[in-house]
Amino acid sequence: MPELPEVEIIRRGLEKKLTNHTIQNVQRHRINLRQSIPITLETCLANTRIVKFNRRGKYILMELNNGLTVLFHLGMSGKIIVQPSGSGYKKQKHEHLTILTYEGECLQFIDPRRFGIIDLFPTNTIHNLLKMMGPEPLPDTGINVSSHQAILCDYLHEKFKLKKQCIKNTMLDQRVIAGLGNIYVCESLFLAGISPFQSACELKRQEILLLIQSIQSILLKAIEAGGSSMRDYVHSNGEKGYFQMQWNVYGKEGELCNYCLQKGRKTVIKRTVQAGRSSFYCEICQK
């Protein structure tokens, strides 16, 4: 499933290509994905101007000038592609929504496994899927990074006190913190030197601050590298990301830990299953 970096990269691509475009036509090719696609989508979007694109966790929000916002979630295998809508346009397999603009661009929502979501809601409200979400791990533009880290650390310190479950599963809970998934939690815990088995309530404030710094470092590097391309994920222009080349532990079961090798140790990366998801870790680097 695309995580925060991948969704943010797609958001930026959509922002660059479609901001201030006016929607000419909307084609809904099926009535439902994970939930029903609003039947009013075609009429509500026609002749409206796209004001901006926001992101909340793993959701993309397309704000329109008529007071409505379109919510996109990519699910397990979804992607959003933008291409010219001229004579070369071709509907793709598993394309469930097509949005054409007067400026000559075409947004295609493609989802082979159909776990994605497309919904419509008033911009001045909070969508039900977003109401219970935790804070964003990255600060907004213009926000002091240290101040954001301190505020987030205070919040997580209080939140973790009530969490006896392992830190790995806690960080995957979107109600605790938004946007993180299996890849970036594994990588962040490794960078912070924290075992995925450690109970969240046992973490000291300084360890939580180090984890926050590690999360932010990993996410920013992933965004810079274009995200991690596994199976279906591509940018809105169809290009792939390359952060998978920088993974330290994720998907590396049986391989030697590079950090240990630098210190003359030969430690093998291990894999276990926690709450039905694979966790990759180094038992020496992560305590």
Side-chain angles (χ1 to χ4, degrees):
M1 178 184 293
E3 302 179 25
L4 187 154
E6 290 77 42
V7 176
E8 174 61 19
I9 290 161
I10 292 172
R11 184 202 69 80
R12 293 181 184 185
L14 295 173
E15 180 180 65
K16 183 178 180 180
K17 279 282 190 178
L18 297 176
T19 300
N20 290 322
H21 279 216
T22 299
I23 296 173
Q24 179 182 19
N25 181 259
V26 178
Q27 300 168 23
R28 191 179 60 139
H29 304 298
R30 65 177 298 113
I31 62 172
N32 69 299
L33 295 171
R34 195 193 316 174
Q35 62 184 43
S36 296
I37 302 174
I39 194 171
T40 58
L41 206 64
E42 292 97 328
T43 55
C44 288
L45 269 61
N47 297 308
T48 61
R49 181 170 55 84
I50 300 171
V51 177
K52 60 182 177 181
F53 288 89
N54 297 314
R55 180 191 54 75
R56 182 72 174 101
K58 302 175 187 178
Y59 295 88
I60 293 173
L61 308 174
M62 185 174 74
E63 185 177 327
L64 307 171
N65 70 336
N66 64 349
L68 295 174
T69 292
V70 182
L71 176 145
F72 296 105
H73 189 274
L74 300 175
M76 300 281 294
S77 61
K79 55 187 175 183
I80 299 175
I81 302 294
V82 177
Q83 65 170 308
S85 59
S87 58
Y89 163 73
K90 181 180 179 182
K91 180 177 177 293
Q92 297 194 34
K93 187 177 181 180
H94 306 300
E95 182 175 334
H96 307 307
L97 180 73
T98 308
I99 298 176
L100 305 172
T101 73
Y102 284 104
E103 290 77 6
E105 297 290 351
C106 172
L107 181 154
Q108 301 167 284
F109 187 97
I110 301 158
D111 186 4
R113 299 183 67 182
R114 302 198 300 274
F115 285 114
I117 297 173
I118 301 171
D119 207 357
L120 189 66
F121 70 101
T123 302
N124 61 359
T125 65
I126 300 175
H127 194 282
N128 287 335
L129 291 170
L130 309 179
K131 286 181 178 178
M132 301 300 292
M133 291 181 67
E136 293 287 327
L138 294 175
D140 291 333
T141 303
I143 301 297
N144 180 271
V145 174
S146 297
S147 298
H148 177 266
Q149 289 176 349
I151 293 170
L152 191 55
C153 186
D154 289 340
Y155 161 81
L156 289 179
H157 189 242
E158 290 300 313
K159 202 79 171 175
F160 286 174
K161 287 179 180 179
L162 306 174
K163 301 289 185 180
K164 294 183 179 180
Q165 67 182 139
C166 66
I167 184 62
K168 165 71 187 303
N169 294 342
T170 300
M171 296 305 292
L172 289 175
D173 187 343
Q174 300 299 296
R175 296 168 297 181
V176 174
I177 190 165
L180 299 181
N182 206 27
I183 294 173
Y184 297 108
V185 171
C186 285
E187 290 295 317
S188 298
L189 288 172
F190 174 80
L191 186 60
I194 297 173
S195 168
F197 304 108
Q198 186 168 351
S199 296
C201 62
E202 295 176 348
L203 289 178
K204 298 179 176 61
R205 193 181 190 282
Q206 190 57 38
E207 291 175 308
I208 296 172
L209 180 59
L210 178 58
L211 178 57
I212 291 169
Q213 293 169 342
S214 299
I215 290 169
Q216 292 182 345
S217 175
I218 291 291
L219 293 178
L220 291 173
K221 287 180 180 178
I223 291 171
E224 184 180 356
S228 299
S229 281
M230 295 176 62
R231 303 181 184 92
D232 302 286
Y233 166 70
V234 292
H235 303 179
S236 60
N237 61 3
E239 294 181 358
K240 293 184 177 182
Y242 294 97
F243 188 67
Q244 65 272 16
M245 306 298 293
Q246 300 181 42
W247 291 346
N248 287 303
V249 290
Y250 189 84
K252 293 185 176 291
E253 179 186 13
E255 297 183 26
L256 293 177
C257 171
N258 286 328
Y259 278 43
C260 285
L261 276 176
Q262 293 171 16
K263 297 180 180 180
R265 301 189 297 257
K266 292 186 178 180
T267 313
V268 173
I269 300 297
K270 292 189 175 182
R271 172 187 171 274
T272 190
V273 177
Q274 296 176 287
R277 298 181 183 179
S278 294
S279 293
F280 300 90
Y281 64 99
C282 172
E283 61 183 359
I284 300 299
C285 293
Q286 297 171 255
K287 301 293 185 180

PDB file of all heavy atoms in Angstrom, residues 136-148:
ATOM      1  N   GLU A 136       0.139  14.688  11.791  1.00  0.00           N
ATOM      2  CA  GLU A 136       1.083  14.415  10.710  1.00  0.00           C
ATOM      3  C   GLU A 136       2.505  14.322  11.279  1.00  0.00           C
ATOM      4  O   GLU A 136       2.879  15.116  12.146  1.00  0.00           O
ATOM      5  CB  GLU A 136       1.035  15.525   9.661  1.00  0.00           C
ATOM      6  CG  GLU A 136      -0.262  15.595   8.881  1.00  0.00           C
ATOM      7  CD  GLU A 136      -0.393  14.457   7.881  1.00  0.00           C
ATOM      8  OE1 GLU A 136       0.639  14.025   7.332  1.00  0.00           O
ATOM      9  OE2 GLU A 136      -1.528  14.012   7.647  1.00  0.00           O
ATOM     10  N   PRO A 137       3.304  13.384  10.802  1.00  0.00           N
ATOM     11  CA  PRO A 137       4.685  13.258  11.301  1.00  0.00           C
ATOM     12  C   PRO A 137       5.623  14.346  10.791  1.00  0.00           C
ATOM     13  O   PRO A 137       6.653  14.620  11.409  1.00  0.00           O
ATOM     14  CB  PRO A 137       5.128  11.882  10.795  1.00  0.00           C
ATOM     15  CG  PRO A 137       4.255  11.612   9.617  1.00  0.00           C
ATOM     16  CD  PRO A 137       2.947  12.274   9.897  1.00  0.00           C
ATOM     17  N   LEU A 138       5.281  14.963   9.657  1.00  0.00           N
ATOM     18  CA  LEU A 138       6.103  16.041   9.101  1.00  0.00           C
ATOM     19  C   LEU A 138       5.447  17.387   9.366  1.00  0.00           C
ATOM     20  O   LEU A 138       4.221  17.516   9.274  1.00  0.00           O
ATOM     21  CB  LEU A 138       6.296  15.850   7.597  1.00  0.00           C
ATOM     22  CG  LEU A 138       7.103  14.627   7.151  1.00  0.00           C
ATOM     23  CD1 LEU A 138       7.096  14.527   5.631  1.00  0.00           C
ATOM     24  CD2 LEU A 138       8.526  14.680   7.686  1.00  0.00           C
ATOM     25  N   PRO A 139       6.243  18.417   9.674  1.00  0.00           N
ATOM     26  CA  PRO A 139       5.661  19.744   9.923  1.00  0.00           C
ATOM     27  C   PRO A 139       5.198  20.400   8.639  1.00  0.00           C
ATOM     28  O   PRO A 139       5.728  20.123   7.556  1.00  0.00           O
ATOM     29  CB  PRO A 139       6.834  20.516  10.548  1.00  0.00           C
ATOM     30  CG  PRO A 139       8.060  19.855   9.994  1.00  0.00           C
ATOM     31  CD  PRO A 139       7.708  18.403   9.848  1.00  0.00           C
ATOM     32  N   ASP A 140       4.207  21.275   8.749  1.00  0.00           N
ATOM     33  CA  ASP A 140       3.776  22.062   7.595  1.00  0.00           C
ATOM     34  C   ASP A 140       4.887  23.027   7.193  1.00  0.00           C
ATOM     35  O   ASP A 140       5.768  23.368   7.989  1.00  0.00           O
ATOM     36  CB  ASP A 140       2.513  22.854   7.941  1.00  0.00           C
ATOM     37  CG  ASP A 140       1.294  21.958   8.129  1.00  0.00           C
ATOM     38  OD1 ASP A 140       1.273  20.870   7.526  1.00  0.00           O
ATOM     39  OD2 ASP A 140       0.383  22.350   8.875  1.00  0.00           O
ATOM     40  N   THR A 141       4.827  23.481   5.959  1.00  0.00           N
ATOM     41  CA  THR A 141       5.802  24.452   5.471  1.00  0.00           C
ATOM     42  C   THR A 141       5.768  25.711   6.342  1.00  0.00           C
ATOM     43  O   THR A 141       4.691  26.236   6.642  1.00  0.00           O
ATOM     44  CB  THR A 141       5.492  24.839   4.007  1.00  0.00           C
ATOM     45  OG1 THR A 141       5.485  23.653   3.211  1.00  0.00           O
ATOM     46  CG2 THR A 141       6.527  25.808   3.469  1.00  0.00           C
ATOM     47  N   GLY A 142       6.933  26.174   6.748  1.00  0.00           N
ATOM     48  CA  GLY A 142       7.015  27.382   7.570  1.00  0.00           C
ATOM     49  C   GLY A 142       6.992  27.117   9.066  1.00  0.00           C
ATOM     50  O   GLY A 142       7.226  28.028   9.860  1.00  0.00           O
ATOM     51  N   ILE A 143       6.708  25.873   9.464  1.00  0.00           N
ATOM     52  CA  ILE A 143       6.688  25.516  10.880  1.00  0.00           C
ATOM     53  C   ILE A 143       8.094  25.112  11.309  1.00  0.00           C
ATOM     54  O   ILE A 143       8.777  24.352  10.624  1.00  0.00           O
ATOM     55  CB  ILE A 143       5.710  24.353  11.151  1.00  0.00           C
ATOM     56  CG1 ILE A 143       4.289  24.746  10.726  1.00  0.00           C
ATOM     57  CG2 ILE A 143       5.733  23.953  12.620  1.00  0.00           C
ATOM     58  CD1 ILE A 143       3.708  25.899  11.490  1.00  0.00           C
ATOM     59  N   ASN A 144       8.541  25.634  12.452  1.00  0.00           N
ATOM     60  CA  ASN A 144       9.853  25.287  12.978  1.00  0.00           C
ATOM     61  C   ASN A 144       9.923  23.796  13.283  1.00  0.00           C
ATOM     62  O   ASN A 144       9.066  23.260  13.989  1.00  0.00           O
ATOM     63  CB  ASN A 144      10.140  26.106  14.243  1.00  0.00           C
ATOM     64  CG  ASN A 144      11.498  25.796  14.829  1.00  0.00           C
ATOM     65  OD1 ASN A 144      11.650  24.893  15.643  1.00  0.00           O
ATOM     66  ND2 ASN A 144      12.507  26.563  14.424  1.00  0.00           N
ATOM     67  N   VAL A 145      10.948  23.127  12.747  1.00  0.00           N
ATOM     68  CA  VAL A 145      11.060  21.672  12.871  1.00  0.00           C
ATOM     69  C   VAL A 145      11.223  21.257  14.328  1.00  0.00           C
ATOM     70  O   VAL A 145      10.563  20.320  14.806  1.00  0.00           O
ATOM     71  CB  VAL A 145      12.235  21.141  12.027  1.00  0.00           C
ATOM     72  CG1 VAL A 145      12.439  19.645  12.271  1.00  0.00           C
ATOM     73  CG2 VAL A 145      11.993  21.392  10.549  1.00  0.00           C
ATOM     74  N   SER A 146      12.090  21.939  15.064  1.00  0.00           N
ATOM     75  CA  SER A 146      12.331  21.583  16.471  1.00  0.00           C
ATOM     76  C   SER A 146      11.070  21.741  17.306  1.00  0.00           C
ATOM     77  O   SER A 146      10.781  20.910  18.175  1.00  0.00           O
ATOM     78  CB  SER A 146      13.459  22.451  17.047  1.00  0.00           C
ATOM     79  OG  SER A 146      14.677  22.203  16.371  1.00  0.00           O
ATOM     80  N   SER A 147      10.323  22.817  17.047  1.00  0.00           N
ATOM     81  CA  SER A 147       9.075  23.035  17.787  1.00  0.00           C
ATOM     82  C   SER A 147       8.061  21.940  17.477  1.00  0.00           C
ATOM     83  O   SER A 147       7.377  21.433  18.373  1.00  0.00           O
ATOM     84  CB  SER A 147       8.486  24.408  17.438  1.00  0.00           C
ATOM     85  OG  SER A 147       9.357  25.440  17.801  1.00  0.00           O
ATOM     86  N   HIS A 148       7.988  21.577  16.192  1.00  0.00           N
ATOM     87  CA  HIS A 148       7.065  20.506  15.793  1.00  0.00           C
ATOM     88  C   HIS A 148       7.457  19.190  16.450  1.00  0.00           C
ATOM     89  O   HIS A 148       6.602  18.446  16.943  1.00  0.00           O
ATOM     90  CB  HIS A 148       7.068  20.359  14.273  1.00  0.00           C
ATOM     91  CG  HIS A 148       6.208  19.246  13.774  1.00  0.00           C
ATOM     92  ND1 HIS A 148       6.703  17.984  13.520  1.00  0.00           N
ATOM     93  CD2 HIS A 148       4.878  19.196  13.493  1.00  0.00           C
ATOM     94  CE1 HIS A 148       5.714  17.205  13.100  1.00  0.00           C
ATOM     95  NE2 HIS A 148       4.605  17.912  13.068  1.00  0.00           N
TER      96      HIS A 148
END
